[in-house]
Amino acid sequence: MVGAVTTFSANRSYAEAMDAADELAPFRDRFVRNDRDVIYLDGNSLGPLPVRTQARIADVVDQEWGVGLVGSWDKWIGLPMEAGDRVGEHLVGAAAGQVLVCDSVTINLYKLAVSVLDAQPGRDVIVTDDDNFPTDRYVLEGVAAQRNCELRLIHSDIDEGISEQALAAALDARTALVSLSHVSYRSSALADMPRLTDLVHSCGALMLWDVCHAVGAVPVELDAAGADLAVGCTYKYVNAGPGAPAFLYVREELQPRLRQPIWGWFSQRDQFAMGPRYDPEPGIASFLTGTQNIVGTVAVEEGARLLGEAGLQPIRSKSMALTSYLIELADEWLVPLGFAIASPRDATRRGGHVTLRHDEAQLISQALIRENVVVDYRVPDRIRIAPAALTNSFADVWDALDKVREITSAKSYAGVPVEPPVS
Ligand SMILES: *Cc1c(COP(=O)(O)O)cnc(C)c1O
């Protein structure tokens, strides 16, 4: 793809040449763009709206609901499994029948963690890391407290990510479950999924990956990595919109051994027989709970199709080129102004965003947003910048970093009101 130009230069013409050679550039028009002055670099928090999704949602609301009313349930009832197969096929390397689009990441994590403890009666330890995403740590803390289990928190460096040595030291014959994030939400550090999964299997525990910050930016290969379980969200790089349902993955061989704890009627065999006792469907449908959000689920299906059309390999190549370019410009312009790179420098060890550290990170990120460069701030002193392969250009990266340079060198961030960060 971005062949031709190879030697980095901090001149804007370099970015323009990279954009001219970018085969993914036409995908920019597949997304709604209202304000062309805004440089949106926060798609790892909330992805932008695909044009096709806007039309599909309008159709589901106007026709399927507005006209079809309750009769539309015939086409809606299988959607969590159908959308799951699309996510499996295009985004997470999972053969059909192993991915389900439903509920939130938080709820799915709970369902899977509890089902693993139930299936491993002799084991009473859950392992995660102290820099894992907050909801993951809280859910696992809650499950451990409710089930009288031990939660072992290994230490991760907040820039470097998970340490294989620390993980190895936390594993033993009591370990039931290990749950880790594939890409760190703060630093973007990318964990070696096949290697860490093998390590966890060597002590007989099951491995649950949270792929929220990877899916849609990094090719995830759950089947090939031998992952047991996974959860992921769809409103970040999958562009399915705020509150769109998450997905869960359960490896086929494991499905008969696991029973999730929320026994609802949507996982009941012969649901409309309204039978007296819970008797779940076999397979991935047994992980359903109650009525699902249909409007959100179609947006997941469209988001997965759009990424699949572009292809995860071209997306990953461009994403690595964008983030590497960002780091090169930051080294040249921003490190002399007190910034440090707080993400791995090796592109193969990094997800889709780059994190910069600066003492005034919070004020600088607020000032950037005021100047139409949308990034986000994370405690304690980090700015996350996420150039998305389908919606951002090399010129966006140049313009955004130029703005960071301007604001920081003029100290024009001082006096900007501080607003609380959102998810
Ligand atoms: C965004 C994110 C979540 C969000 O969980 P929700 O239940 O959707 O709020 C969880 N884990 C990670 C790693 C995330 O990046």
Side-chain angles (χ1 to χ4, degrees), residues 115-405:
S115 66
V116 167
L117 292 180
D118 285 341
Q120 310 248 72
R123 294 170 177 257
D124 65 349
V125 171
I126 302 172
V127 175
T128 189
D129 74 301
D130 58 2
D131 193 43
N132 203 351
F133 192 83
T135 211
D136 299 56
R137 289 183 282 108
Y138 305 155
V139 164
L140 298 172
E141 183 186 350
V143 168
Q146 290 150 21
R147 309 298 295 249
N148 233 340
C149 289
E150 179 190 336
L151 179 65
R152 267 182 209 157
L153 280 182
I154 60 170
H155 177 63
S156 291
D157 180 274
I158 72 169
D159 297 340
E160 288 302 313
I162 294 150
S163 143
E164 190 176 330
Q165 290 71 26
L167 178 59
L171 302 176
D172 58 30
R174 284 177 56 203
T175 313
L177 173 70
V178 176
S179 183
L180 300 169
S181 287
H182 191 202
V183 170
S184 157
Y185 76 97
R186 180 169 25 220
S187 72
S188 192
L190 174 66
D192 186 335
M193 181 182 280
R195 197 178 163 96
L196 298 185
T197 301
D198 282 350
L199 181 62
V200 167
H201 285 166
S202 67
C203 83
L206 295 180
M207 182 67 218
L208 195 174
W209 286 101
D210 181 334
V211 300
C212 282
H213 252 83
V215 63
V218 177
V220 178
E221 296 291 345
L222 294 172
D223 285 352
D228 300 300
L229 307 141
V231 293
C233 73
T234 62
Y235 49 80
K236 294 170 182 164
Y237 296 109
V238 185
N239 307 310
F247 61 89
L248 61 80
Y249 163 91
V250 181
R251 185 156 54 84
E252 191 168 19
E253 306 91 273
L254 266 180
Q255 291 173 9
R257 275 178 59 202
L258 299 186
R259 178 171 281 202
Q260 56 101 354
I262 305 173
W263 296 7
W265 70 315
F266 268 67
S267 49
Q268 174 77 346
R269 201 191 298 265
D270 202 1
Q271 177 182 8
F272 289 95
M274 309 286 186
R277 304 188 68 100
Y278 183 63
D279 172 26
E281 287 271 3
I284 197 70
S286 68
F287 291 86
L288 276 174
T289 54
T291 308
Q292 293 302 314
N293 176 338
I294 298 303
V295 175
T297 307
V298 300
V300 175
E301 208 171 41
E302 291 302 333
R305 279 211 186 99
L306 183 56
L307 292 166
E309 191 187 325
L312 256 295
Q313 290 303 340
I315 286 173
R316 175 66 170 155
S317 310
K318 181 177 170 188
S319 165
M320 292 199 297
L322 285 167
T323 55
S324 298
Y325 178 55
L326 197 161
I327 289 175
E328 286 176 302
L329 282 179
D331 279 337
E332 184 118 348
W333 293 344
L334 304 182
V335 170
L337 296 174
F339 282 91
I341 312 296
S343 293
R345 281 179 173 274
D346 174 355
T348 64
R349 293 198 47 236
R350 190 166 74 222
H353 68 277
V354 174
T355 304
L356 302 177
R357 177 156 60 83
H358 190 280
D359 289 345
E360 300 297 346
Q362 190 168 16
L363 288 173
I364 294 168
S365 56
Q366 291 292 337
L368 283 166
I369 293 165
R370 278 213 321 199
E371 301 267 342
N372 282 337
V373 176
V374 184
V375 297
D376 66 20
Y377 164 75
R378 284 293 175 272
V379 288
D381 53 6
R382 303 291 204 267
I383 299 173
R384 299 191 310 177
I385 307 177
L390 297 191
T391 49
N392 288 118
S393 62
F394 289 85
D396 285 344
V397 172
W398 195 95
D399 291 340
L401 263 69
D402 184 47
K403 196 56 92 178
V404 179
R405 168 169 71 160

